Amino acid sequence: ALGVDARRCVVIEDSEPGARSGNAAGAFVIAVPHRVSISAAPRRTHVTSLTELDASRVAALLEQADAHV
């Protein structure tokens, strides 16, 4: 254990099982569908490409997710 609150962690995932696991752990999930679709879920957002992400964008998405809780 790293002693980090899972709600402050971000998982970037390209599969439904991985996205589910990230959410089950309590993390915020950024889904990047590639070959299969990934369903919508609370504390999960979708982007079409990793090129849409940088550190500030990830931080903003996490902040938005936390604001909706």
Side-chain angles (χ1 to χ4, degrees), residues 6 10-11 17-20 22 24-25 29 35-38 42 44-45 47 50-53 55-56 58-59 68:
V10 176
V11 172
R20 283 189 204 152
V29 174
R35 295 179 188 254
V36 296
S37 62
I38 301 174
R44 185 184 300 175
T45 195
V47 297
L50 291 174
T51 61
E52 297 178 42
L53 302 174
S56 62
V58 170
H68 291 106

mmCIF file with all atom_site columns, all heavy atoms in Angstrom, residues 6 10-11 17-20 22 24-25 29 35-38 42 44-45 47 50-53 55-56 58-59 68:
data_model
loop_
_atom_site.group_PDB
_atom_site.id
_atom_site.type_symbol
_atom_site.label_atom_id
_atom_site.label_alt_id
_atom_site.label_comp_id
_atom_site.label_asym_id
_atom_site.label_entity_id
_atom_site.label_seq_id
_atom_site.pdbx_PDB_ins_code
_atom_site.Cartn_x
_atom_site.Cartn_y
_atom_site.Cartn_z
_atom_site.occupancy
_atom_site.B_iso_or_equiv
_atom_site.pdbx_formal_charge
_atom_site.auth_seq_id
_atom_site.auth_comp_id
_atom_site.auth_asym_id
_atom_site.auth_atom_id
_atom_site.pdbx_PDB_model_num
ATOM 1   N N   . ALA A 1 6  ? -7.362  6.204  -3.099  1.00 0.00 ? 6  ALA A N   1
ATOM 2   C CA  . ALA A 1 6  ? -7.676  5.734  -4.451  1.00 0.00 ? 6  ALA A CA  1
ATOM 3   C C   . ALA A 1 6  ? -8.510  6.743  -5.226  1.00 0.00 ? 6  ALA A C   1
ATOM 4   O O   . ALA A 1 6  ? -8.405  6.826  -6.449  1.00 0.00 ? 6  ALA A O   1
ATOM 5   C CB  . ALA A 1 6  ? -8.395  4.391  -4.391  1.00 0.00 ? 6  ALA A CB  1
ATOM 6   N N   . VAL A 1 10 ? -5.702  8.085  -10.894 1.00 0.00 ? 10 VAL A N   1
ATOM 7   C CA  . VAL A 1 10 ? -6.275  8.048  -12.235 1.00 0.00 ? 10 VAL A CA  1
ATOM 8   C C   . VAL A 1 10 ? -5.789  6.779  -12.934 1.00 0.00 ? 10 VAL A C   1
ATOM 9   O O   . VAL A 1 10 ? -4.597  6.473  -12.909 1.00 0.00 ? 10 VAL A O   1
ATOM 10  C CB  . VAL A 1 10 ? -5.854  9.286  -13.054 1.00 0.00 ? 10 VAL A CB  1
ATOM 11  C CG1 . VAL A 1 10 ? -6.369  9.198  -14.479 1.00 0.00 ? 10 VAL A CG1 1
ATOM 12  C CG2 . VAL A 1 10 ? -6.336  10.564 -12.382 1.00 0.00 ? 10 VAL A CG2 1
ATOM 13  N N   . VAL A 1 11 ? -6.729  6.074  -13.543 1.00 0.00 ? 11 VAL A N   1
ATOM 14  C CA  . VAL A 1 11 ? -6.421  4.896  -14.343 1.00 0.00 ? 11 VAL A CA  1
ATOM 15  C C   . VAL A 1 11 ? -6.730  5.243  -15.794 1.00 0.00 ? 11 VAL A C   1
ATOM 16  O O   . VAL A 1 11 ? -7.817  5.730  -16.095 1.00 0.00 ? 11 VAL A O   1
ATOM 17  C CB  . VAL A 1 11 ? -7.278  3.689  -13.883 1.00 0.00 ? 11 VAL A CB  1
ATOM 18  C CG1 . VAL A 1 11 ? -7.120  2.518  -14.833 1.00 0.00 ? 11 VAL A CG1 1
ATOM 19  C CG2 . VAL A 1 11 ? -6.929  3.301  -12.461 1.00 0.00 ? 11 VAL A CG2 1
ATOM 20  N N   . PRO A 1 17 ? -12.847 -4.524 -19.019 1.00 0.00 ? 17 PRO A N   1
ATOM 21  C CA  . PRO A 1 17 ? -12.456 -5.112 -17.727 1.00 0.00 ? 17 PRO A CA  1
ATOM 22  C C   . PRO A 1 17 ? -11.480 -4.220 -16.948 1.00 0.00 ? 17 PRO A C   1
ATOM 23  O O   . PRO A 1 17 ? -11.582 -4.097 -15.731 1.00 0.00 ? 17 PRO A O   1
ATOM 24  C CB  . PRO A 1 17 ? -11.796 -6.445 -18.102 1.00 0.00 ? 17 PRO A CB  1
ATOM 25  C CG  . PRO A 1 17 ? -12.334 -6.775 -19.446 1.00 0.00 ? 17 PRO A CG  1
ATOM 26  C CD  . PRO A 1 17 ? -12.559 -5.459 -20.125 1.00 0.00 ? 17 PRO A CD  1
ATOM 27  N N   . GLY A 1 18 ? -10.556 -3.602 -17.650 1.00 0.00 ? 18 GLY A N   1
ATOM 28  C CA  . GLY A 1 18 ? -9.607  -2.715 -16.980 1.00 0.00 ? 18 GLY A CA  1
ATOM 29  C C   . GLY A 1 18 ? -10.290 -1.486 -16.411 1.00 0.00 ? 18 GLY A C   1
ATOM 30  O O   . GLY A 1 18 ? -9.986  -1.050 -15.295 1.00 0.00 ? 18 GLY A O   1
ATOM 31  N N   . ALA A 1 19 ? -11.228 -0.916 -17.175 1.00 0.00 ? 19 ALA A N   1
ATOM 32  C CA  . ALA A 1 19 ? -11.973 0.252  -16.695 1.00 0.00 ? 19 ALA A CA  1
ATOM 33  C C   . ALA A 1 19 ? -12.810 -0.124 -15.475 1.00 0.00 ? 19 ALA A C   1
ATOM 34  O O   . ALA A 1 19 ? -12.854 0.624  -14.489 1.00 0.00 ? 19 ALA A O   1
ATOM 35  C CB  . ALA A 1 19 ? -12.854 0.806  -17.811 1.00 0.00 ? 19 ALA A CB  1
ATOM 36  N N   . ARG A 1 20 ? -13.448 -1.278 -15.517 1.00 0.00 ? 20 ARG A N   1
ATOM 37  C CA  . ARG A 1 20 ? -14.229 -1.738 -14.357 1.00 0.00 ? 20 ARG A CA  1
ATOM 38  C C   . ARG A 1 20 ? -13.342 -1.921 -13.135 1.00 0.00 ? 20 ARG A C   1
ATOM 39  O O   . ARG A 1 20 ? -13.723 -1.563 -12.016 1.00 0.00 ? 20 ARG A O   1
ATOM 40  C CB  . ARG A 1 20 ? -14.921 -3.057 -14.667 1.00 0.00 ? 20 ARG A CB  1
ATOM 41  C CG  . ARG A 1 20 ? -16.135 -2.920 -15.518 1.00 0.00 ? 20 ARG A CG  1
ATOM 42  C CD  . ARG A 1 20 ? -16.874 -4.244 -15.583 1.00 0.00 ? 20 ARG A CD  1
ATOM 43  N NE  . ARG A 1 20 ? -17.680 -4.307 -16.773 1.00 0.00 ? 20 ARG A NE  1
ATOM 44  C CZ  . ARG A 1 20 ? -18.002 -5.418 -17.393 1.00 0.00 ? 20 ARG A CZ  1
ATOM 45  N NH1 . ARG A 1 20 ? -17.582 -6.579 -16.942 1.00 0.00 ? 20 ARG A NH1 1
ATOM 46  N NH2 . ARG A 1 20 ? -18.748 -5.390 -18.468 1.00 0.00 ? 20 ARG A NH2 1
ATOM 47  N N   . GLY A 1 22 ? -10.488 -0.437 -12.465 1.00 0.00 ? 22 GLY A N   1
ATOM 48  C CA  . GLY A 1 22 ? -10.095 0.872  -11.962 1.00 0.00 ? 22 GLY A CA  1
ATOM 49  C C   . GLY A 1 22 ? -11.193 1.519  -11.143 1.00 0.00 ? 22 GLY A C   1
ATOM 50  O O   . GLY A 1 22 ? -10.946 2.038  -10.051 1.00 0.00 ? 22 GLY A O   1
ATOM 51  N N   . ALA A 1 24 ? -13.679 -0.065 -9.659  1.00 0.00 ? 24 ALA A N   1
ATOM 52  C CA  . ALA A 1 24 ? -13.895 -0.875 -8.453  1.00 0.00 ? 24 ALA A CA  1
ATOM 53  C C   . ALA A 1 24 ? -12.871 -0.535 -7.369  1.00 0.00 ? 24 ALA A C   1
ATOM 54  O O   . ALA A 1 24 ? -13.174 -0.605 -6.178  1.00 0.00 ? 24 ALA A O   1
ATOM 55  C CB  . ALA A 1 24 ? -13.832 -2.354 -8.794  1.00 0.00 ? 24 ALA A CB  1
ATOM 56  N N   . ALA A 1 25 ? -11.680 -0.144 -7.787  1.00 0.00 ? 25 ALA A N   1
ATOM 57  C CA  . ALA A 1 25 ? -10.644 0.240  -6.829  1.00 0.00 ? 25 ALA A CA  1
ATOM 58  C C   . ALA A 1 25 ? -10.899 1.627  -6.251  1.00 0.00 ? 25 ALA A C   1
ATOM 59  O O   . ALA A 1 25 ? -10.252 2.021  -5.284  1.00 0.00 ? 25 ALA A O   1
ATOM 60  C CB  . ALA A 1 25 ? -9.276  0.206  -7.501  1.00 0.00 ? 25 ALA A CB  1
ATOM 61  N N   . VAL A 1 29 ? -11.377 6.869  -13.853 1.00 0.00 ? 29 VAL A N   1
ATOM 62  C CA  . VAL A 1 29 ? -10.929 6.164  -15.046 1.00 0.00 ? 29 VAL A CA  1
ATOM 63  C C   . VAL A 1 29 ? -11.084 7.039  -16.283 1.00 0.00 ? 29 VAL A C   1
ATOM 64  O O   . VAL A 1 29 ? -12.151 7.609  -16.528 1.00 0.00 ? 29 VAL A O   1
ATOM 65  C CB  . VAL A 1 29 ? -11.719 4.843  -15.240 1.00 0.00 ? 29 VAL A CB  1
ATOM 66  C CG1 . VAL A 1 29 ? -11.356 4.177  -16.556 1.00 0.00 ? 29 VAL A CG1 1
ATOM 67  C CG2 . VAL A 1 29 ? -11.453 3.900  -14.075 1.00 0.00 ? 29 VAL A CG2 1
ATOM 68  N N   . ARG A 1 35 ? -9.979  -1.134 -29.646 1.00 0.00 ? 35 ARG A N   1
ATOM 69  C CA  . ARG A 1 35 ? -10.611 -2.161 -30.483 1.00 0.00 ? 35 ARG A CA  1
ATOM 70  C C   . ARG A 1 35 ? -12.007 -2.534 -30.006 1.00 0.00 ? 35 ARG A C   1
ATOM 71  O O   . ARG A 1 35 ? -12.773 -3.114 -30.759 1.00 0.00 ? 35 ARG A O   1
ATOM 72  C CB  . ARG A 1 35 ? -9.737  -3.399 -30.521 1.00 0.00 ? 35 ARG A CB  1
ATOM 73  C CG  . ARG A 1 35 ? -8.418  -3.153 -31.202 1.00 0.00 ? 35 ARG A CG  1
ATOM 74  C CD  . ARG A 1 35 ? -7.574  -4.400 -31.208 1.00 0.00 ? 35 ARG A CD  1
ATOM 75  N NE  . ARG A 1 35 ? -6.252  -4.106 -31.699 1.00 0.00 ? 35 ARG A NE  1
ATOM 76  C CZ  . ARG A 1 35 ? -5.807  -4.457 -32.893 1.00 0.00 ? 35 ARG A CZ  1
ATOM 77  N NH1 . ARG A 1 35 ? -6.581  -5.116 -33.706 1.00 0.00 ? 35 ARG A NH1 1
ATOM 78  N NH2 . ARG A 1 35 ? -4.597  -4.134 -33.260 1.00 0.00 ? 35 ARG A NH2 1
ATOM 79  N N   . VAL A 1 36 ? -12.305 -2.247 -28.753 1.00 0.00 ? 36 VAL A N   1
ATOM 80  C CA  . VAL A 1 36 ? -13.623 -2.563 -28.194 1.00 0.00 ? 36 VAL A CA  1
ATOM 81  C C   . VAL A 1 36 ? -14.178 -1.329 -27.506 1.00 0.00 ? 36 VAL A C   1
ATOM 82  O O   . VAL A 1 36 ? -13.434 -0.463 -27.061 1.00 0.00 ? 36 VAL A O   1
ATOM 83  C CB  . VAL A 1 36 ? -13.550 -3.736 -27.186 1.00 0.00 ? 36 VAL A CB  1
ATOM 84  C CG1 . VAL A 1 36 ? -13.109 -5.011 -27.871 1.00 0.00 ? 36 VAL A CG1 1
ATOM 85  C CG2 . VAL A 1 36 ? -12.622 -3.410 -26.038 1.00 0.00 ? 36 VAL A CG2 1
ATOM 86  N N   . SER A 1 37 ? -15.502 -1.256 -27.426 1.00 0.00 ? 37 SER A N   1
ATOM 87  C CA  . SER A 1 37 ? -16.119 -0.117 -26.754 1.00 0.00 ? 37 SER A CA  1
ATOM 88  C C   . SER A 1 37 ? -16.018 -0.296 -25.241 1.00 0.00 ? 37 SER A C   1
ATOM 89  O O   . SER A 1 37 ? -15.841 -1.404 -24.735 1.00 0.00 ? 37 SER A O   1
ATOM 90  C CB  . SER A 1 37 ? -17.574 0.031  -27.179 1.00 0.00 ? 37 SER A CB  1
ATOM 91  O OG  . SER A 1 37 ? -18.300 -1.114 -26.804 1.00 0.00 ? 37 SER A OG  1
ATOM 92  N N   . ILE A 1 38 ? -16.113 0.812  -24.535 1.00 0.00 ? 38 ILE A N   1
ATOM 93  C CA  . ILE A 1 38 ? -16.078 0.823  -23.076 1.00 0.00 ? 38 ILE A CA  1
ATOM 94  C C   . ILE A 1 38 ? -17.310 1.583  -22.620 1.00 0.00 ? 38 ILE A C   1
ATOM 95  O O   . ILE A 1 38 ? -17.545 2.715  -23.055 1.00 0.00 ? 38 ILE A O   1
ATOM 96  C CB  . ILE A 1 38 ? -14.794 1.487  -22.544 1.00 0.00 ? 38 ILE A CB  1
ATOM 97  C CG1 . ILE A 1 38 ? -13.556 0.732  -23.060 1.00 0.00 ? 38 ILE A CG1 1
ATOM 98  C CG2 . ILE A 1 38 ? -14.809 1.533  -21.025 1.00 0.00 ? 38 ILE A CG2 1
ATOM 99  C CD1 . ILE A 1 38 ? -12.237 1.406  -22.715 1.00 0.00 ? 38 ILE A CD1 1
ATOM 100 N N   . PRO A 1 42 ? -20.079 5.999  -13.615 1.00 0.00 ? 42 PRO A N   1
ATOM 101 C CA  . PRO A 1 42 ? -19.671 7.095  -12.737 1.00 0.00 ? 42 PRO A CA  1
ATOM 102 C C   . PRO A 1 42 ? -18.151 7.102  -12.575 1.00 0.00 ? 42 PRO A C   1
ATOM 103 O O   . PRO A 1 42 ? -17.508 6.039  -12.565 1.00 0.00 ? 42 PRO A O   1
ATOM 104 C CB  . PRO A 1 42 ? -20.363 6.770  -11.412 1.00 0.00 ? 42 PRO A CB  1
ATOM 105 C CG  . PRO A 1 42 ? -21.511 5.885  -11.786 1.00 0.00 ? 42 PRO A CG  1
ATOM 106 C CD  . PRO A 1 42 ? -21.028 5.092  -12.975 1.00 0.00 ? 42 PRO A CD  1
ATOM 107 N N   . ARG A 1 44 ? -15.947 7.949  -14.616 1.00 0.00 ? 44 ARG A N   1
ATOM 108 C CA  . ARG A 1 44 ? -15.281 7.469  -15.830 1.00 0.00 ? 44 ARG A CA  1
ATOM 109 C C   . ARG A 1 44 ? -15.568 8.455  -16.947 1.00 0.00 ? 44 ARG A C   1
ATOM 110 O O   . ARG A 1 44 ? -16.693 8.898  -17.117 1.00 0.00 ? 44 ARG A O   1
ATOM 111 C CB  . ARG A 1 44 ? -15.808 6.087  -16.210 1.00 0.00 ? 44 ARG A CB  1
ATOM 112 C CG  . ARG A 1 44 ? -15.085 5.462  -17.387 1.00 0.00 ? 44 ARG A CG  1
ATOM 113 C CD  . ARG A 1 44 ? -15.683 4.130  -17.804 1.00 0.00 ? 44 ARG A CD  1
ATOM 114 N NE  . ARG A 1 44 ? -15.649 3.143  -16.717 1.00 0.00 ? 44 ARG A NE  1
ATOM 115 C CZ  . ARG A 1 44 ? -16.200 1.940  -16.803 1.00 0.00 ? 44 ARG A CZ  1
ATOM 116 N NH1 . ARG A 1 44 ? -16.838 1.566  -17.894 1.00 0.00 ? 44 ARG A NH1 1
ATOM 117 N NH2 . ARG A 1 44 ? -16.126 1.102  -15.791 1.00 0.00 ? 44 ARG A NH2 1
ATOM 118 N N   . THR A 1 45 ? -14.569 8.807  -17.697 1.00 0.00 ? 45 THR A N   1
ATOM 119 C CA  . THR A 1 45 ? -14.747 9.649  -18.867 1.00 0.00 ? 45 THR A CA  1
ATOM 120 C C   . THR A 1 45 ? -14.050 8.998  -20.043 1.00 0.00 ? 45 THR A C   1
ATOM 121 O O   . THR A 1 45 ? -13.206 8.120  -19.861 1.00 0.00 ? 45 THR A O   1
ATOM 122 C CB  . THR A 1 45 ? -14.215 11.079 -18.621 1.00 0.00 ? 45 THR A CB  1
ATOM 123 O OG1 . THR A 1 45 ? -14.694 11.954 -19.623 1.00 0.00 ? 45 THR A OG1 1
ATOM 124 C CG2 . THR A 1 45 ? -12.701 11.113 -18.571 1.00 0.00 ? 45 THR A CG2 1
ATOM 125 N N   . VAL A 1 47 ? -12.016 9.484  -23.828 1.00 0.00 ? 47 VAL A N   1
ATOM 126 C CA  . VAL A 1 47 ? -11.310 10.295 -24.814 1.00 0.00 ? 47 VAL A CA  1
ATOM 127 C C   . VAL A 1 47 ? -11.058 9.394  -26.020 1.00 0.00 ? 47 VAL A C   1
ATOM 128 O O   . VAL A 1 47 ? -11.029 8.169  -25.897 1.00 0.00 ? 47 VAL A O   1
ATOM 129 C CB  . VAL A 1 47 ? -9.974  10.870 -24.271 1.00 0.00 ? 47 VAL A CB  1
ATOM 130 C CG1 . VAL A 1 47 ? -10.229 11.817 -23.104 1.00 0.00 ? 47 VAL A CG1 1
ATOM 131 C CG2 . VAL A 1 47 ? -8.994  9.782  -23.873 1.00 0.00 ? 47 VAL A CG2 1
ATOM 132 N N   . LEU A 1 50 ? -4.953  9.200  -26.764 1.00 0.00 ? 50 LEU A N   1
ATOM 133 C CA  . LEU A 1 50 ? -4.044  9.675  -25.714 1.00 0.00 ? 50 LEU A CA  1
ATOM 134 C C   . LEU A 1 50 ? -3.487  11.055 -26.028 1.00 0.00 ? 50 LEU A C   1
ATOM 135 O O   . LEU A 1 50 ? -3.044  11.771 -25.126 1.00 0.00 ? 50 LEU A O   1
ATOM 136 C CB  . LEU A 1 50 ? -2.896  8.678  -25.522 1.00 0.00 ? 50 LEU A CB  1
ATOM 137 C CG  . LEU A 1 50 ? -3.277  7.334  -24.921 1.00 0.00 ? 50 LEU A CG  1
ATOM 138 C CD1 . LEU A 1 50 ? -2.074  6.399  -24.913 1.00 0.00 ? 50 LEU A CD1 1
ATOM 139 C CD2 . LEU A 1 50 ? -3.818  7.507  -23.508 1.00 0.00 ? 50 LEU A CD2 1
ATOM 140 N N   . THR A 1 51 ? -3.533  11.445 -27.300 1.00 0.00 ? 51 THR A N   1
ATOM 141 C CA  . THR A 1 51 ? -3.031  12.772 -27.664 1.00 0.00 ? 51 THR A CA  1
ATOM 142 C C   . THR A 1 51 ? -3.880  13.889 -27.057 1.00 0.00 ? 51 THR A C   1
ATOM 143 O O   . THR A 1 51 ? -3.439  15.037 -27.019 1.00 0.00 ? 51 THR A O   1
ATOM 144 C CB  . THR A 1 51 ? -2.963  12.950 -29.192 1.00 0.00 ? 51 THR A CB  1
ATOM 145 O OG1 . THR A 1 51 ? -4.279  12.819 -29.737 1.00 0.00 ? 51 THR A OG1 1
ATOM 146 C CG2 . THR A 1 51 ? -2.025  11.924 -29.818 1.00 0.00 ? 51 THR A CG2 1
ATOM 147 N N   . GLU A 1 52 ? -5.072  13.560 -26.582 1.00 0.00 ? 52 GLU A N   1
ATOM 148 C CA  . GLU A 1 52 ? -5.936  14.548 -25.923 1.00 0.00 ? 52 GLU A CA  1
ATOM 149 C C   . GLU A 1 52 ? -5.496  14.829 -24.489 1.00 0.00 ? 52 GLU A C   1
ATOM 150 O O   . GLU A 1 52 ? -6.037  15.732 -23.850 1.00 0.00 ? 52 GLU A O   1
ATOM 151 C CB  . GLU A 1 52 ? -7.379  14.052 -25.891 1.00 0.00 ? 52 GLU A CB  1
ATOM 152 C CG  . GLU A 1 52 ? -8.011  13.871 -27.243 1.00 0.00 ? 52 GLU A CG  1
ATOM 153 C CD  . GLU A 1 52 ? -9.424  13.325 -27.131 1.00 0.00 ? 52 GLU A CD  1
ATOM 154 O OE1 . GLU A 1 52 ? -10.181 13.780 -26.253 1.00 0.00 ? 52 GLU A OE1 1
ATOM 155 O OE2 . GLU A 1 52 ? -9.763  12.429 -27.920 1.00 0.00 ? 52 GLU A OE2 1
ATOM 156 N N   . LEU A 1 53 ? -4.551  14.041 -23.983 1.00 0.00 ? 53 LEU A N   1
ATOM 157 C CA  . LEU A 1 53 ? -4.202  14.120 -22.565 1.00 0.00 ? 53 LEU A CA  1
ATOM 158 C C   . LEU A 1 53 ? -2.800  14.671 -22.344 1.00 0.00 ? 53 LEU A C   1
ATOM 159 O O   . LEU A 1 53 ? -1.868  14.329 -23.060 1.00 0.00 ? 53 LEU A O   1
ATOM 160 C CB  . LEU A 1 53 ? -4.281  12.725 -21.926 1.00 0.00 ? 53 LEU A CB  1
ATOM 161 C CG  . LEU A 1 53 ? -5.624  12.017 -22.014 1.00 0.00 ? 53 LEU A CG  1
ATOM 162 C CD1 . LEU A 1 53 ? -5.495  10.606 -21.463 1.00 0.00 ? 53 LEU A CD1 1
ATOM 163 C CD2 . LEU A 1 53 ? -6.684  12.797 -21.257 1.00 0.00 ? 53 LEU A CD2 1
ATOM 164 N N   . ALA A 1 55 ? -0.731  16.365 -18.491 1.00 0.00 ? 55 ALA A N   1
ATOM 165 C CA  . ALA A 1 55 ? -0.911  16.392 -17.037 1.00 0.00 ? 55 ALA A CA  1
ATOM 166 C C   . ALA A 1 55 ? -2.000  17.375 -16.613 1.00 0.00 ? 55 ALA A C   1
ATOM 167 O O   . ALA A 1 55 ? -2.819  17.067 -15.740 1.00 0.00 ? 55 ALA A O   1
ATOM 168 C CB  . ALA A 1 55 ? 0.407   16.720 -16.350 1.00 0.00 ? 55 ALA A CB  1
ATOM 169 N N   . SER A 1 56 ? -2.046  18.535 -17.233 1.00 0.00 ? 56 SER A N   1
ATOM 170 C CA  . SER A 1 56 ? -3.060  19.517 -16.831 1.00 0.00 ? 56 SER A CA  1
ATOM 171 C C   . SER A 1 56 ? -4.460  19.064 -17.216 1.00 0.00 ? 56 SER A C   1
ATOM 172 O O   . SER A 1 56 ? -5.417  19.288 -16.473 1.00 0.00 ? 56 SER A O   1
ATOM 173 C CB  . SER A 1 56 ? -2.744  20.897 -17.417 1.00 0.00 ? 56 SER A CB  1
ATOM 174 O OG  . SER A 1 56 ? -2.757  20.856 -18.824 1.00 0.00 ? 56 SER A OG  1
ATOM 175 N N   . VAL A 1 58 ? -5.497  15.892 -17.477 1.00 0.00 ? 58 VAL A N   1
ATOM 176 C CA  . VAL A 1 58 ? -5.852  14.812 -16.558 1.00 0.00 ? 58 VAL A CA  1
ATOM 177 C C   . VAL A 1 58 ? -6.278  15.396 -15.216 1.00 0.00 ? 58 VAL A C   1
ATOM 178 O O   . VAL A 1 58 ? -7.291  14.986 -14.635 1.00 0.00 ? 58 VAL A O   1
ATOM 179 C CB  . VAL A 1 58 ? -4.692  13.820 -16.390 1.00 0.00 ? 58 VAL A CB  1
ATOM 180 C CG1 . VAL A 1 58 ? -4.966  12.833 -15.265 1.00 0.00 ? 58 VAL A CG1 1
ATOM 181 C CG2 . VAL A 1 58 ? -4.442  13.069 -17.697 1.00 0.00 ? 58 VAL A CG2 1
ATOM 182 N N   . ALA A 1 59 ? -5.534  16.386 -14.717 1.00 0.00 ? 59 ALA A N   1
ATOM 183 C CA  . ALA A 1 59 ? -5.884  17.023 -13.445 1.00 0.00 ? 59 ALA A CA  1
ATOM 184 C C   . ALA A 1 59 ? -7.251  17.689 -13.529 1.00 0.00 ? 59 ALA A C   1
ATOM 185 O O   . ALA A 1 59 ? -8.056  17.603 -12.593 1.00 0.00 ? 59 ALA A O   1
ATOM 186 C CB  . ALA A 1 59 ? -4.815  18.031 -13.051 1.00 0.00 ? 59 ALA A CB  1
ATOM 187 N N   . HIS A 1 68 ? -18.558 16.351 -9.123  1.00 0.00 ? 68 HIS A N   1
ATOM 188 C CA  . HIS A 1 68 ? -19.858 15.729 -9.344  1.00 0.00 ? 68 HIS A CA  1
ATOM 189 C C   . HIS A 1 68 ? -20.204 14.659 -8.334  1.00 0.00 ? 68 HIS A C   1
ATOM 190 O O   . HIS A 1 68 ? -21.186 13.946 -8.494  1.00 0.00 ? 68 HIS A O   1
ATOM 191 C CB  . HIS A 1 68 ? -19.921 15.142 -10.764 1.00 0.00 ? 68 HIS A CB  1
ATOM 192 C CG  . HIS A 1 68 ? -19.945 16.190 -11.815 1.00 0.00 ? 68 HIS A CG  1
ATOM 193 N ND1 . HIS A 1 68 ? -18.859 16.462 -12.607 1.00 0.00 ? 68 HIS A ND1 1
ATOM 194 C CD2 . HIS A 1 68 ? -20.909 17.067 -12.180 1.00 0.00 ? 68 HIS A CD2 1
ATOM 195 C CE1 . HIS A 1 68 ? -19.158 17.447 -13.428 1.00 0.00 ? 68 HIS A CE1 1
ATOM 196 N NE2 . HIS A 1 68 ? -20.402 17.840 -13.193 1.00 0.00 ? 68 HIS A NE2 1
#
